[in-house]
Amino acid sequence: MFEYARAAVEGALAAGASYADARVVISKNEAIDVLNQAVQTVRHGESAGVGVRALIGSSWGFYAITSLTNSAARTAGEKAADIARASALVPGAAITLADVPVVQASWETPHEEDPFAVSLSEKVDMLIRVSKTMQDVDGVSLARASLAFYDTNKWFVSSQGAEIHQHIVESGGGFDATAIGEHETQRRSYPQSFGQYATGGYETVRAWDYEANAQRVAEQAIQLLAADEMEEGETSLILESSQLALQIHESVGHAIELDRILGWEAAFAGTSHLELEKLRSHKYGSELMNITADATLVGALGSFGFDDEGTPAQRVDIVKDGTWVGVLSGRDSAALAGLEPGGMVRADGYSRLPMVRMTNVGLAPGVGTLDDIIADTADGVYMETNRSWSIDDRRLNFQFGCEIGWEIKNGKRGRMLKNPTYTGITPVFWGSLDRLAGEEEWVHWGVPNCGKGQPMQVGHTGHSASPARFSNVRVGVRA
């Protein structure tokens, strides 16, 4: 496949591009959905094509085709250069690219079981058993379970001499139970509300043991119907790690994307409250807050060998001891900001222009366990599993709802609480972080549905987190 990418790059250079790169991408996916023991969907998809990017002066041009021939690829490169030339008619400073190693390399996701080699019947039978277990709990109205798998091969070539092949394997899924009461609906899900996804094979699904958790999840959905409503107030808030992962995604991950900070990108998820001149001095949170963007984590959903500009995967400090020290960047944005490129540019398939995307933006663990944190809390509330979220387009003012909560009194878990919510302002909230559980409860949560750009691209991101406590947080707010 390298020959098609080379032809595309040669076409762009011949048409006047100062730099060009191309990706041949062949991907396949499988999705299975079960509702109340009945199979709703078994979907298989495949795609193949080449996308070429050409740089002329102040502008990129991009063109993509599905025809994998040398002549078609060369023509695509020429058209990408034509688009760049036309775009460069708009006045602007010439784009420069930060230096990265020029390599010829290959990389593959570490995995044990090819998820596409596991029989469809084994997958469907497991989902039906999970659905049945939930449906057998009296009062459960909807019992859903799903799996999804992705297999992607990429061949990347740049005009600087890079030639890289990657094979990325992703697996995941989840289930949920819904109970419908007289005036309300309650839902519990597992492993998290979007399901849990990882880079790896079918072994990553087996590790979460769906069947052993189905009855507990269904019973909690029923119990929530009779639980007390959360009261409004200000208290200590303990978050389970999957909810904290989404908190990181929304209030840190999007805010640190350098294209948003520079004002290049505002579609779908807004801009950022961060100002580049305050890098290395802005206080993002308490001294317990240490955030990294690490594309090298084995098993995390935002891991790869090289990004879609050919930059090697790496670990970058984002927040260190509470101070903002790093960003998510690509070669062009990093050069403009005078920073080292972070290797964080990816595209949703062959037909989309690569853009800055989160890799694995995670919170480093502390010490102890969730039980230690609860035992150390005189008065507070513990919340699990995201139910809703809202955040302004500068990633500052937010409100999250969770599926379930418990009152914490004198170091013990008390009443179950339904419809729990909390709200805050990003730097104030992170500044109140005062307890953080240790590595034994640190989970690489995957977000498979991160939207960005226009046309929107769906990105796969990872967020490592362990349970944490925040002081003096407003909870129970309805408006």
Side-chain angles (χ1 to χ4, degrees), residues 77-106:
E78 293 168 352
K79 290 186 175 181
D82 290 343
I83 293 169
R85 184 178 297 103
S87 299
L89 295 174
V90 178
I95 290 174
T96 59
L97 301 179
D99 291 335
V100 298
V102 175
V103 300
Q104 294 78 48
S106 62

PDB file of all heavy atoms in Angstrom, residues 77-106:
ATOM      1  N   GLY A  77      -3.233  13.739  -5.172  1.00  0.00           N
ATOM      2  CA  GLY A  77      -2.191  14.635  -4.664  1.00  0.00           C
ATOM      3  C   GLY A  77      -2.198  15.964  -5.387  1.00  0.00           C
ATOM      4  O   GLY A  77      -2.044  17.035  -4.758  1.00  0.00           O
ATOM      5  N   GLU A  78      -2.387  15.917  -6.700  1.00  0.00           N
ATOM      6  CA  GLU A  78      -2.437  17.158  -7.480  1.00  0.00           C
ATOM      7  C   GLU A  78      -3.625  18.026  -7.041  1.00  0.00           C
ATOM      8  O   GLU A  78      -3.503  19.254  -6.923  1.00  0.00           O
ATOM      9  CB  GLU A  78      -2.535  16.821  -8.968  1.00  0.00           C
ATOM     10  CG  GLU A  78      -1.278  16.139  -9.521  1.00  0.00           C
ATOM     11  CD  GLU A  78      -1.499  15.547 -10.915  1.00  0.00           C
ATOM     12  OE1 GLU A  78      -2.668  15.525 -11.379  1.00  0.00           O
ATOM     13  OE2 GLU A  78      -0.521  15.077 -11.513  1.00  0.00           O
ATOM     14  N   LYS A  79      -4.776  17.381  -6.805  1.00  0.00           N
ATOM     15  CA  LYS A  79      -5.956  18.144  -6.393  1.00  0.00           C
ATOM     16  C   LYS A  79      -5.787  18.732  -4.991  1.00  0.00           C
ATOM     17  O   LYS A  79      -6.242  19.848  -4.722  1.00  0.00           O
ATOM     18  CB  LYS A  79      -7.199  17.254  -6.469  1.00  0.00           C
ATOM     19  CG  LYS A  79      -7.586  16.920  -7.906  1.00  0.00           C
ATOM     20  CD  LYS A  79      -8.897  16.163  -7.978  1.00  0.00           C
ATOM     21  CE  LYS A  79      -9.309  15.959  -9.442  1.00  0.00           C
ATOM     22  NZ  LYS A  79     -10.585  15.244  -9.565  1.00  0.00           N
ATOM     23  N   ALA A  80      -5.123  17.991  -4.114  1.00  0.00           N
ATOM     24  CA  ALA A  80      -4.853  18.538  -2.774  1.00  0.00           C
ATOM     25  C   ALA A  80      -4.004  19.795  -2.886  1.00  0.00           C
ATOM     26  O   ALA A  80      -4.243  20.793  -2.178  1.00  0.00           O
ATOM     27  CB  ALA A  80      -4.168  17.485  -1.909  1.00  0.00           C
ATOM     28  N   ALA A  81      -3.021  19.767  -3.773  1.00  0.00           N
ATOM     29  CA  ALA A  81      -2.172  20.955  -3.968  1.00  0.00           C
ATOM     30  C   ALA A  81      -2.978  22.103  -4.566  1.00  0.00           C
ATOM     31  O   ALA A  81      -2.789  23.274  -4.189  1.00  0.00           O
ATOM     32  CB  ALA A  81      -0.990  20.593  -4.873  1.00  0.00           C
ATOM     33  N   ASP A  82      -3.867  21.785  -5.508  1.00  0.00           N
ATOM     34  CA  ASP A  82      -4.720  22.841  -6.090  1.00  0.00           C
ATOM     35  C   ASP A  82      -5.566  23.516  -5.013  1.00  0.00           C
ATOM     36  O   ASP A  82      -5.740  24.743  -5.005  1.00  0.00           O
ATOM     37  CB  ASP A  82      -5.645  22.240  -7.161  1.00  0.00           C
ATOM     38  CG  ASP A  82      -4.887  21.801  -8.420  1.00  0.00           C
ATOM     39  OD1 ASP A  82      -3.725  22.250  -8.591  1.00  0.00           O
ATOM     40  OD2 ASP A  82      -5.458  21.017  -9.203  1.00  0.00           O
ATOM     41  N   ILE A  83      -6.113  22.715  -4.102  1.00  0.00           N
ATOM     42  CA  ILE A  83      -6.944  23.276  -3.019  1.00  0.00           C
ATOM     43  C   ILE A  83      -6.097  24.133  -2.095  1.00  0.00           C
ATOM     44  O   ILE A  83      -6.510  25.230  -1.678  1.00  0.00           O
ATOM     45  CB  ILE A  83      -7.631  22.130  -2.246  1.00  0.00           C
ATOM     46  CG1 ILE A  83      -8.652  21.428  -3.151  1.00  0.00           C
ATOM     47  CG2 ILE A  83      -8.299  22.645  -0.977  1.00  0.00           C
ATOM     48  CD1 ILE A  83      -9.196  20.128  -2.588  1.00  0.00           C
ATOM     49  N   ALA A  84      -4.899  23.669  -1.781  1.00  0.00           N
ATOM     50  CA  ALA A  84      -4.001  24.463  -0.927  1.00  0.00           C
ATOM     51  C   ALA A  84      -3.653  25.790  -1.601  1.00  0.00           C
ATOM     52  O   ALA A  84      -3.647  26.844  -0.940  1.00  0.00           O
ATOM     53  CB  ALA A  84      -2.737  23.666  -0.630  1.00  0.00           C
ATOM     54  N   ARG A  85      -3.386  25.748  -2.902  1.00  0.00           N
ATOM     55  CA  ARG A  85      -3.011  26.973  -3.630  1.00  0.00           C
ATOM     56  C   ARG A  85      -4.176  27.973  -3.624  1.00  0.00           C
ATOM     57  O   ARG A  85      -3.977  29.179  -3.400  1.00  0.00           O
ATOM     58  CB  ARG A  85      -2.605  26.633  -5.061  1.00  0.00           C
ATOM     59  CG  ARG A  85      -2.104  27.858  -5.865  1.00  0.00           C
ATOM     60  CD  ARG A  85      -1.669  27.461  -7.268  1.00  0.00           C
ATOM     61  NE  ARG A  85      -0.549  26.537  -7.252  1.00  0.00           N
ATOM     62  CZ  ARG A  85      -0.635  25.231  -7.465  1.00  0.00           C
ATOM     63  NH1 ARG A  85      -1.816  24.668  -7.733  1.00  0.00           N
ATOM     64  NH2 ARG A  85       0.414  24.470  -7.413  1.00  0.00           N
ATOM     65  N   ALA A  86      -5.368  27.473  -3.838  1.00  0.00           N
ATOM     66  CA  ALA A  86      -6.540  28.354  -3.837  1.00  0.00           C
ATOM     67  C   ALA A  86      -6.776  28.933  -2.438  1.00  0.00           C
ATOM     68  O   ALA A  86      -7.064  30.124  -2.284  1.00  0.00           O
ATOM     69  CB  ALA A  86      -7.777  27.573  -4.301  1.00  0.00           C
ATOM     70  N   SER A  87      -6.617  28.110  -1.418  1.00  0.00           N
ATOM     71  CA  SER A  87      -6.828  28.593  -0.046  1.00  0.00           C
ATOM     72  C   SER A  87      -5.784  29.622   0.337  1.00  0.00           C
ATOM     73  O   SER A  87      -6.066  30.553   1.113  1.00  0.00           O
ATOM     74  CB  SER A  87      -6.781  27.409   0.929  1.00  0.00           C
ATOM     75  OG  SER A  87      -7.796  26.472   0.623  1.00  0.00           O
ATOM     76  N   ALA A  88      -4.579  29.481  -0.195  1.00  0.00           N
ATOM     77  CA  ALA A  88      -3.482  30.400   0.146  1.00  0.00           C
ATOM     78  C   ALA A  88      -3.672  31.785  -0.457  1.00  0.00           C
ATOM     79  O   ALA A  88      -2.895  32.699  -0.147  1.00  0.00           O
ATOM     80  CB  ALA A  88      -2.150  29.806  -0.294  1.00  0.00           C
ATOM     81  N   LEU A  89      -4.696  31.959  -1.313  1.00  0.00           N
ATOM     82  CA  LEU A  89      -4.992  33.296  -1.823  1.00  0.00           C
ATOM     83  C   LEU A  89      -5.474  34.222  -0.702  1.00  0.00           C
ATOM     84  O   LEU A  89      -5.379  35.432  -0.790  1.00  0.00           O
ATOM     85  CB  LEU A  89      -6.057  33.222  -2.932  1.00  0.00           C
ATOM     86  CG  LEU A  89      -5.623  32.485  -4.213  1.00  0.00           C
ATOM     87  CD1 LEU A  89      -6.801  32.357  -5.170  1.00  0.00           C
ATOM     88  CD2 LEU A  89      -4.455  33.200  -4.884  1.00  0.00           C
ATOM     89  N   VAL A  90      -6.019  33.614   0.360  1.00  0.00           N
ATOM     90  CA  VAL A  90      -6.391  34.397   1.546  1.00  0.00           C
ATOM     91  C   VAL A  90      -5.102  34.757   2.277  1.00  0.00           C
ATOM     92  O   VAL A  90      -4.307  33.880   2.597  1.00  0.00           O
ATOM     93  CB  VAL A  90      -7.327  33.599   2.467  1.00  0.00           C
ATOM     94  CG1 VAL A  90      -7.658  34.403   3.714  1.00  0.00           C
ATOM     95  CG2 VAL A  90      -8.587  33.217   1.718  1.00  0.00           C
ATOM     96  N   PRO A  91      -4.855  36.055   2.553  1.00  0.00           N
ATOM     97  CA  PRO A  91      -3.590  36.438   3.181  1.00  0.00           C
ATOM     98  C   PRO A  91      -3.377  35.742   4.525  1.00  0.00           C
ATOM     99  O   PRO A  91      -4.305  35.544   5.307  1.00  0.00           O
ATOM    100  CB  PRO A  91      -3.752  37.953   3.373  1.00  0.00           C
ATOM    101  CG  PRO A  91      -4.781  38.372   2.373  1.00  0.00           C
ATOM    102  CD  PRO A  91      -5.715  37.216   2.251  1.00  0.00           C
ATOM    103  N   GLY A  92      -2.149  35.377   4.781  1.00  0.00           N
ATOM    104  CA  GLY A  92      -1.814  34.729   6.048  1.00  0.00           C
ATOM    105  C   GLY A  92      -0.353  34.352   6.084  1.00  0.00           C
ATOM    106  O   GLY A  92       0.288  34.232   5.034  1.00  0.00           O
ATOM    107  N   ALA A  93       0.161  34.167   7.307  1.00  0.00           N
ATOM    108  CA  ALA A  93       1.565  33.796   7.452  1.00  0.00           C
ATOM    109  C   ALA A  93       1.781  32.372   6.965  1.00  0.00           C
ATOM    110  O   ALA A  93       0.905  31.501   7.118  1.00  0.00           O
ATOM    111  CB  ALA A  93       1.973  33.921   8.908  1.00  0.00           C
ATOM    112  N   ALA A  94       2.947  32.124   6.381  1.00  0.00           N
ATOM    113  CA  ALA A  94       3.265  30.781   5.901  1.00  0.00           C
ATOM    114  C   ALA A  94       3.320  29.811   7.071  1.00  0.00           C
ATOM    115  O   ALA A  94       3.830  30.135   8.151  1.00  0.00           O
ATOM    116  CB  ALA A  94       4.603  30.799   5.162  1.00  0.00           C
ATOM    117  N   ILE A  95       2.769  28.609   6.846  1.00  0.00           N
ATOM    118  CA  ILE A  95       2.787  27.570   7.877  1.00  0.00           C
ATOM    119  C   ILE A  95       4.157  26.902   7.875  1.00  0.00           C
ATOM    120  O   ILE A  95       4.695  26.547   6.821  1.00  0.00           O
ATOM    121  CB  ILE A  95       1.692  26.522   7.601  1.00  0.00           C
ATOM    122  CG1 ILE A  95       0.312  27.135   7.840  1.00  0.00           C
ATOM    123  CG2 ILE A  95       1.887  25.276   8.463  1.00  0.00           C
ATOM    124  CD1 ILE A  95      -0.831  26.213   7.453  1.00  0.00           C
ATOM    125  N   THR A  96       4.723  26.748   9.067  1.00  0.00           N
ATOM    126  CA  THR A  96       5.942  25.956   9.219  1.00  0.00           C
ATOM    127  C   THR A  96       5.625  24.734  10.065  1.00  0.00           C
ATOM    128  O   THR A  96       4.661  24.736  10.851  1.00  0.00           O
ATOM    129  CB  THR A  96       7.060  26.783   9.877  1.00  0.00           C
ATOM    130  OG1 THR A  96       6.606  27.230  11.165  1.00  0.00           O
ATOM    131  CG2 THR A  96       7.428  27.988   9.027  1.00  0.00           C
ATOM    132  N   LEU A  97       6.430  23.703   9.921  1.00  0.00           N
ATOM    133  CA  LEU A  97       6.209  22.452  10.652  1.00  0.00           C
ATOM    134  C   LEU A  97       7.365  22.209  11.613  1.00  0.00           C
ATOM    135  O   LEU A  97       8.537  22.287  11.212  1.00  0.00           O
ATOM    136  CB  LEU A  97       6.101  21.271   9.681  1.00  0.00           C
ATOM    137  CG  LEU A  97       4.978  21.359   8.639  1.00  0.00           C
ATOM    138  CD1 LEU A  97       5.020  20.132   7.721  1.00  0.00           C
ATOM    139  CD2 LEU A  97       3.611  21.471   9.311  1.00  0.00           C
ATOM    140  N   ALA A  98       7.028  21.911  12.869  1.00  0.00           N
ATOM    141  CA  ALA A  98       8.064  21.552  13.836  1.00  0.00           C
ATOM    142  C   ALA A  98       8.730  20.250  13.401  1.00  0.00           C
ATOM    143  O   ALA A  98       8.097  19.368  12.815  1.00  0.00           O
ATOM    144  CB  ALA A  98       7.438  21.387  15.218  1.00  0.00           C
ATOM    145  N   ASP A  99      10.019  20.140  13.675  1.00  0.00           N
ATOM    146  CA  ASP A  99      10.764  18.938  13.289  1.00  0.00           C
ATOM    147  C   ASP A  99      10.332  17.734  14.113  1.00  0.00           C
ATOM    148  O   ASP A  99      10.082  17.841  15.324  1.00  0.00           O
ATOM    149  CB  ASP A  99      12.269  19.169  13.492  1.00  0.00           C
ATOM    150  CG  ASP A  99      12.840  20.171  12.505  1.00  0.00           C
ATOM    151  OD1 ASP A  99      12.247  20.319  11.414  1.00  0.00           O
ATOM    152  OD2 ASP A  99      13.860  20.806  12.818  1.00  0.00           O
ATOM    153  N   VAL A 100      10.240  16.589  13.445  1.00  0.00           N
ATOM    154  CA  VAL A 100      10.018  15.308  14.131  1.00  0.00           C
ATOM    155  C   VAL A 100      10.963  14.288  13.496  1.00  0.00           C
ATOM    156  O   VAL A 100      11.430  14.490  12.363  1.00  0.00           O
ATOM    157  CB  VAL A 100       8.550  14.815  14.001  1.00  0.00           C
ATOM    158  CG1 VAL A 100       7.600  15.801  14.650  1.00  0.00           C
ATOM    159  CG2 VAL A 100       8.180  14.595  12.542  1.00  0.00           C
ATOM    160  N   PRO A 101      11.244  13.188  14.183  1.00  0.00           N
ATOM    161  CA  PRO A 101      12.110  12.166  13.575  1.00  0.00           C
ATOM    162  C   PRO A 101      11.483  11.613  12.296  1.00  0.00           C
ATOM    163  O   PRO A 101      10.276  11.367  12.247  1.00  0.00           O
ATOM    164  CB  PRO A 101      12.188  11.090  14.658  1.00  0.00           C
ATOM    165  CG  PRO A 101      11.829  11.780  15.924  1.00  0.00           C
ATOM    166  CD  PRO A 101      10.859  12.854  15.556  1.00  0.00           C
ATOM    167  N   VAL A 102      12.289  11.450  11.273  1.00  0.00           N
ATOM    168  CA  VAL A 102      11.818  10.853  10.018  1.00  0.00           C
ATOM    169  C   VAL A 102      12.189   9.363  10.052  1.00  0.00           C
ATOM    170  O   VAL A 102      13.366   9.012  10.076  1.00  0.00           O
ATOM    171  CB  VAL A 102      12.452  11.537   8.798  1.00  0.00           C
ATOM    172  CG1 VAL A 102      12.040  10.831   7.514  1.00  0.00           C
ATOM    173  CG2 VAL A 102      12.053  13.009   8.756  1.00  0.00           C
ATOM    174  N   VAL A 103      11.163   8.509  10.109  1.00  0.00           N
ATOM    175  CA  VAL A 103      11.436   7.082  10.339  1.00  0.00           C
ATOM    176  C   VAL A 103      10.730   6.217   9.310  1.00  0.00           C
ATOM    177  O   VAL A 103       9.737   6.612   8.690  1.00  0.00           O
ATOM    178  CB  VAL A 103      10.983   6.650  11.753  1.00  0.00           C
ATOM    179  CG1 VAL A 103      11.720   7.452  12.808  1.00  0.00           C
ATOM    180  CG2 VAL A 103       9.475   6.807  11.913  1.00  0.00           C
ATOM    181  N   GLN A 104      11.271   5.024   9.112  1.00  0.00           N
ATOM    182  CA  GLN A 104      10.590   3.933   8.415  1.00  0.00           C
ATOM    183  C   GLN A 104      10.333   2.888   9.499  1.00  0.00           C
ATOM    184  O   GLN A 104      11.287   2.352  10.086  1.00  0.00           O
ATOM    185  CB  GLN A 104      11.439   3.340   7.290  1.00  0.00           C
ATOM    186  CG  GLN A 104      11.701   4.318   6.132  1.00  0.00           C
ATOM    187  CD  GLN A 104      12.764   5.338   6.429  1.00  0.00           C
ATOM    188  OE1 GLN A 104      13.836   4.989   6.910  1.00  0.00           O
ATOM    189  NE2 GLN A 104      12.488   6.617   6.152  1.00  0.00           N
ATOM    190  N   ALA A 105       9.071   2.636   9.809  1.00  0.00           N
ATOM    191  CA  ALA A 105       8.762   1.823  10.988  1.00  0.00           C
ATOM    192  C   ALA A 105       7.424   1.114  10.817  1.00  0.00           C
ATOM    193  O   ALA A 105       6.641   1.421   9.908  1.00  0.00           O
ATOM    194  CB  ALA A 105       8.714   2.723  12.227  1.00  0.00           C
ATOM    195  N   SER A 106       7.188   0.149  11.709  1.00  0.00           N
ATOM    196  CA  SER A 106       5.882  -0.497  11.785  1.00  0.00           C
ATOM    197  C   SER A 106       5.524  -0.662  13.253  1.00  0.00           C
ATOM    198  O   SER A 106       6.406  -0.733  14.121  1.00  0.00           O
ATOM    199  CB  SER A 106       5.888  -1.854  11.079  1.00  0.00           C
ATOM    200  OG  SER A 106       6.804  -2.729  11.712  1.00  0.00           O
TER     201      SER A 106
END
